[in-house]
Amino acid sequence: DTAVSQTPKYLVTQMGNDKSIKCEQNLGHDTMYWYKQDSKKFLKIMFSYNNKELIINETVPNRFSPKSPDKAHLNLHINSLELGDSAVYFCASSHRKQWGAEAFFGQGTRLTVV
Amino acid sequence: QKEVEQDPGPLSVPEGAIVSLNCTYSNSAFQYFMWYRQYSRKGPELLMYTYSSGNKEDGRFTAQVDKSSKYISLFIRDSQPSDSATYLCAMSANYGQNFVFGPGTRLSVLP
């Protein structure tokens, strides 16, 4: 039973298109994140939501918009895709007030913009 | 200076060796420290976490934190080829939030 699941796993699309990546967690966590991992494998946080409220919004282009319909879901919508958006996007979740504070990651969505 | 630094490797060791992986950081507010293992084309998976300074052992893995030096380590004893992966350190100042990752060290354990 997958704890954090993202769809799709692979996404190949043309420049200028709009695409969405979905994420769901069944761990009962109250905080969810989107991370971007570039070609050098560096994981960088993009957004964080706690109980459907945006709490972190790093310097990310406005073309990226997270949407959290409920605590268990955090989707990422990207408008007007650019070549530089090609990366692996990871969703993660954690429990804000649980000792240990570890984050669990999904398997990633490999986005290729052509 | 980057907030979290880590030697990217690659680090190659023979099977059975003791591996030492390290991270340094600049933010003295960090108090939760984690090590993740990431296999190729997979998501990171949590290996160890520690709070504040000290050591923690779990099987072949030992995590050490030295807050005074802003330095954390992960030791792997009796390394196996299945340990070949990228190891990421991560840290945060508060419960369950604002994780900052190091760039990862790629480890190869040769049979």
Side-chain angles (χ1 to χ4, degrees), chain B residues 2 13-14 32 34 38-39 50 56 60 71 79 87 100:
Chain B
K2 287 182 181 166
V13 300
Y32 298 94
M34 288 140 280
Q38 187 177 20
Y39 291 113
T50 53
K56 185 173 182 178
R60 297 185 296 112
Y71 186 89
S79 56
Y87 289 80
V100 179

Side-chain angles (χ1 to χ4, degrees), chain B residues 20-78:
Chain B
S20 171
L21 303 165
N22 310 298
C23 284
T24 58
Y25 61 95
S26 57
N27 187 347
S28 58
F30 288 145
Q31 51 183 342
Y32 298 94
F33 303 93
M34 288 140 280
W35 284 97
Y36 284 82
R37 178 175 60 197
Q38 187 177 20
Y39 291 113
S40 181
R41 294 181 176 264
K42 298 288 186 184
E45 55 178 326
L46 181 70
L47 276 179
M48 304 272 293
Y49 66 83
T50 53
Y51 170 67
S52 194
S53 285
N55 293 358
K56 185 173 182 178
E57 189 173 320
D58 184 0
R60 297 185 296 112
F61 298 90
T62 300
Q64 285 186 355
V65 175
D66 182 351
K67 286 189 69 181
S68 61
S69 302
K70 298 193 184 70
Y71 186 89
I72 69 171
S73 300
L74 177 72
F75 296 96
I76 307 174
R77 289 184 299 281
D78 187 25

Side-chain angles (χ1 to χ4, degrees), chain A residues 16-72:
Chain A
N17 284 351
D18 302 339
K19 290 293 177 185
S20 292
I21 308 172
K22 295 185 176 180
C23 179
E24 176 181 5
Q25 55 96 3
N26 61 7
L27 297 165
H29 287 163
D30 58 1
T31 304
M32 295 184 71
Y33 311 81
W34 278 107
Y35 281 84
K36 179 180 181 181
Q37 189 171 46
D38 60 25
S39 57
K40 294 183 180 178
K41 303 295 186 186
F42 193 35
L43 261 176
K44 191 169 170 58
I45 193 165
M46 300 172 69
F47 301 102
S48 173
Y49 267 74
N50 176 257
N51 283 321
K52 296 170 53 181
E53 180 185 349
L54 180 65
I55 57 173
I56 293 175
N57 183 358
E58 294 295 315
T59 306
V60 175
N62 290 338
R63 301 181 293 104
F64 290 80
S65 55
K67 286 184 174 48
S68 181
D70 55 55
K71 266 184 12 173

Side-chain angles (χ1 to χ4, degrees), chain B residues 4-18:
Chain B
V4 180
E5 304 217 41
Q6 196 175 357
D7 186 337
L11 175 63
S12 292
V13 300
E15 184 174 354
I18 296 175

